[in-house]
Amino acid sequence: MSTYQELPSIYRLKRSLTDVDQIANEYFEKILDLNPVQATELGRKGVETLYPDYSPAGEKAFARLTKKTLKKVDNVLPIDDVDLVTLDALQERLSLYRKQYKAGFGGWQMNNIASVPQEVRSVFDLMKRNTQQDWEHIIGRMHRVTEALEGYIQTLEAAREEGKVAPRRQVDIVIEQTAAYYAPGGFFDELAAEVAEAVPSLKDEATAGAEAAKEGYRRLNSYLVEKLQPVAPSRDAVGRKAYSLHSRSFLGTTIDLDETYAWGVKELESIIARQSEVAEEIEPGASIERAKQLLDEDPARQLHGTDELKAWMQKLADAAVENLAGSHFEIGGPMRRIECCIAPTNEGGIYYTGPSPDFSRPGRMWWSVPEGEDTFTTWRETSTVYHEGVPGHHLQIAIATALQGTMNSWRTNMLWVSGHGEGWALYAERLMEELGYLKDPGDRMGMLNAQRMRAARVVFDIGVHCEMPIPAEWAEQLGVEPGTIWTSELGYEFLKLNLDESEGHLRFEFLRYLGWPGQAPSYKIGERLWLELRDQAVRRGDDIRAFHTRALLLGSVGLDTLRRALTDEMMLPLDTEDDDDEDEDEDDDFIEVDD
């Protein structure tokens, strides 16, 4: 029996390929041609040793593809509901990219988690490690690192000459990260040792490959230190105009920044109030801090070492799949498999990577453990496992992957909007509480901890990047006058009050929010819309399970597209706001966004 035949029948509905699907599939394939890293993630063969062109020419090629695809989209007619959603999503995503490209966004922007220096390294985490050829591919790609990073340096230099340089904090952290990659005993030395252990005859080639990759990062590091660091601006805030574009990228909708900021402040207050109620359950009269202390000191809630952490994650993730399959969601065949892993880096953060299109590589939950941390508490992370696994990311992404016979490859394998995906995963944590999986007050405190962090990020991210006034209730705690404008430093103190994290993880998150504007709030803002849509469905008399099924069968789309699809308000065509008379070579003047 094939993998596809093992999937639940609801995901195996056959549908003829339409003109809209053809456009989306062509776009998908051409993106993979331009981006071998993404192609590796999606299991394409023949590109295992390659990297994208990170030079300005590479960025221009992608911009040209976007423009041409938009023109095709404007001249095609949908024939069914799947086409309607595809066109809506394509026009929203591609027109946004055009706006960002004209505004000067690009690879020169860097941060500590999702920019080119991390992508060049992290692709090795997703490469196969089963056969000798797999290990040879890893060696081959190590030899390509320098070439890839040289193209990236060209982009950085071209941007620097135009006055576009990432903020100093982001340059500094990338300098720190890249130095760790090429340090003796660092990532590439460990990777070479892994190759040699698997295939001893490849030891010398692996060592040479590691040295080649390290040289690429040495050159990048030197460029950052010598050229960018001296001119990198100290200002972290991107300003309201740029922030609005960043935010839409992660949400698929344009929000009222002032209203959302005020909502975030109120949501944070509500969550803190709930934490106080749970603290009372843990110990009568206990403060939130006292309750957390008691939970941390409980031996039954402690895990020691990454092996125990990994085993606990796997057990909890497997149990969620087993319990929810059939009763609340359709989960079957290869969708039931999720693999919990300790990430090969120490940068902090927990994340999920989806299965390959044929499910030969399972969906994986990764935990990047900061250096020196070896004790973990289950109460803090129970809801995180549900967030990353089932019913969170693993469920939604596995469903999207399973829908390959129903919709086009772009929607099933490539389209990802954080507000939709992360909003669903945060909603999944709340859903597990509603279903009774967080009856333990410690686990509920952990879920509220996560909710508090996500609400605080709405306040921090919009507040700092848009230079909003600090709310009176927090100004007092921060020791400043009401109405004081947020600074990064005051934002860090605010995060310390609301994010119950280790110093290493807190620093990672702080830098991430500053360098990746709009991403962190997308979780809570996305959850807000998911809850609104569910409440609307309930008021219409819909069954909640049916609502979940209908919504997840759409795959990941922007929040405007999601709302239109679930409320039968899909309207086409959308205004792409593109210029028909622009030069085909994409030599448009940038519209600077430097508010």
Side-chain angles (χ1 to χ4, degrees), residues 45-114:
K45 296 181 180 179
V47 296
E48 294 90 348
T49 66
L50 303 179
Y51 278 105
D53 180 357
Y54 291 116
S55 74
E59 292 193 342
K60 182 168 286 191
F62 185 77
R64 189 177 298 117
L65 170 62
T66 301
K67 179 180 178 180
K68 290 181 177 179
T69 304
L70 266 173
K71 288 187 175 181
K72 292 179 181 178
V73 166
D74 288 341
N75 294 293
V76 67
L77 294 176
I79 66 170
D80 60 15
D81 289 342
V82 175
D83 278 356
L84 284 172
V85 175
T86 297
L87 284 178
D88 196 287
L90 268 171
Q91 288 174 317
E92 190 279 321
R93 289 287 87 186
L94 272 61
S95 64
L96 171 63
Y97 174 79
R98 292 279 295 160
K99 285 176 176 286
Q100 291 178 321
Y101 183 73
K102 290 190 206 177
F105 287 24
W108 63 270
Q109 296 165 302
M110 65 178 68
N111 55 49
N112 67 344
I113 189 172

Side-chain angles (χ1 to χ4, degrees), residues 286-307:
S287 65
I288 296 172
E289 291 70 25
R290 169 61 179 166
K292 290 179 181 180
Q293 179 186 357
L294 291 171
L295 294 171
D296 282 337
E297 293 174 351
D298 183 356
R301 301 176 187 274
Q302 293 179 354
L303 300 169
H304 301 283
T306 54
D307 288 343

Side-chain angles (χ1 to χ4, degrees), residues 209-238:
E211 288 303 318
K214 288 162 63 177
E215 178 58 25
Y217 274 104
R218 283 193 192 94
R219 294 182 187 180
L220 174 59
N221 187 275
S222 295
Y223 173 82
L224 295 175
V225 170
E226 296 169 8
K227 295 289 188 177
L228 288 198
Q229 198 176 45
V231 297
S234 60
R235 185 189 182 206
D236 297 300
V238 298

Side-chain angles (χ1 to χ4, degrees), residues 103-123:
F105 287 24
W108 63 270
Q109 296 165 302
M110 65 178 68
N111 55 49
N112 67 344
I113 189 172
S115 53
V116 172
Q118 296 86 23
E119 179 176 280
V120 170
R121 187 219 62 77
S122 65
V123 67

Side-chain angles (χ1 to χ4, degrees), residues 350-595:
I350 303 168
Y351 56 95
Y352 175 82
T353 56
S356 57
D358 62 357
F359 285 96
S360 61
R361 185 189 68 233
R364 291 169 175 161
M365 186 188 314
W366 299 85
W367 195 312
S368 180
V369 180
E371 194 74 42
E373 293 189 16
D374 61 0
T375 300
F376 314 92
T377 52
T378 58
W379 72 270
R380 293 178 182 272
E381 309 302 345
T382 294
S383 65
T384 301
V385 174
Y386 299 141
H387 178 111
E388 302 293 345
V390 170
H393 289 320
H394 180 68
L395 176 63
Q396 66 177 166
I397 295 175
I399 287 176
T401 304
L403 291 172
Q404 295 176 82
T406 303
M407 63 179 70
N408 55 75
S409 297
W410 178 70
R411 280 181 61 189
T412 57
N413 295 321
M414 185 170 287
L415 178 58
W416 171 259
V417 182
S418 181
H420 176 286
E422 298 295 356
W424 167 264
L426 193 57
Y427 167 78
E429 296 185 48
R430 187 184 295 245
L431 179 64
M432 290 300 273
E433 180 189 18
E434 295 174 357
L435 295 177
Y437 286 83
L438 299 174
K439 291 181 179 178
D440 178 82
D443 291 342
R444 262 185 293 126
M445 180 65 83
M447 185 273 289
L448 290 169
N449 240 21
Q451 289 277 343
R452 180 173 178 175
M453 173 181 71
R454 271 60 180 257
R457 297 190 321 195
V458 175
V459 179
F460 173 94
D461 213 69
I462 298 176
V464 171
H465 282 294
C466 298
E467 298 174 313
M468 298 280 202
I470 300 174
E473 56 269 40
W474 290 102
E476 181 178 355
Q477 294 191 54
L478 293 170
V480 298
E481 292 295 322
T484 298
I485 299 300
W486 283 108
T487 64
S488 300
E489 291 72 23
L490 287 171
Y492 185 78
E493 295 304 313
F494 172 77
L495 293 179
K496 285 171 66 176
L497 293 171
N498 289 290
L499 273 62
D500 189 9
E501 303 286 354
S502 66
E503 186 64 30
H505 200 174
L506 182 65
R507 176 175 180 259
F508 178 89
E509 292 293 293
F510 171 67
L511 293 172
R512 167 188 159 193
Y513 308 156
L514 293 177
W516 212 12
Q519 195 273 343
S522 65
Y523 296 60
K524 196 67 181 167
I525 297 170
E527 180 203 38
R528 184 188 190 188
L529 180 62
W530 275 107
L531 288 168
E532 289 175 358
L533 290 171
R534 186 187 71 174
D535 290 345
Q536 291 173 16
V538 171
R539 287 195 295 271
R540 291 194 303 265
D542 294 350
D543 176 76
I544 291 179
R545 173 173 170 161
F547 165 77
H548 289 154
T549 300
R550 183 185 178 194
L552 291 175
L553 283 172
L554 293 171
S556 180
V557 292
L559 296 180
D560 277 346
T561 299
L562 177 67
R563 184 183 63 253
R564 287 191 285 261
L566 293 180
T567 55
D568 298 320
E569 295 177 0
M570 193 66 70
M571 300 291 291
L572 291 170
L574 298 178
D575 180 9
T576 61
E577 301 184 29
D578 199 25
D579 298 321
D580 291 332
D581 59 349
E582 289 182 85
D583 186 88
E584 190 63 31
D585 292 330
E586 287 294 337
D587 292 326
D588 309 305
D589 292 334
F590 286 135
I591 303 171
E592 296 290 351
V593 176
D594 57 359
D595 180 13

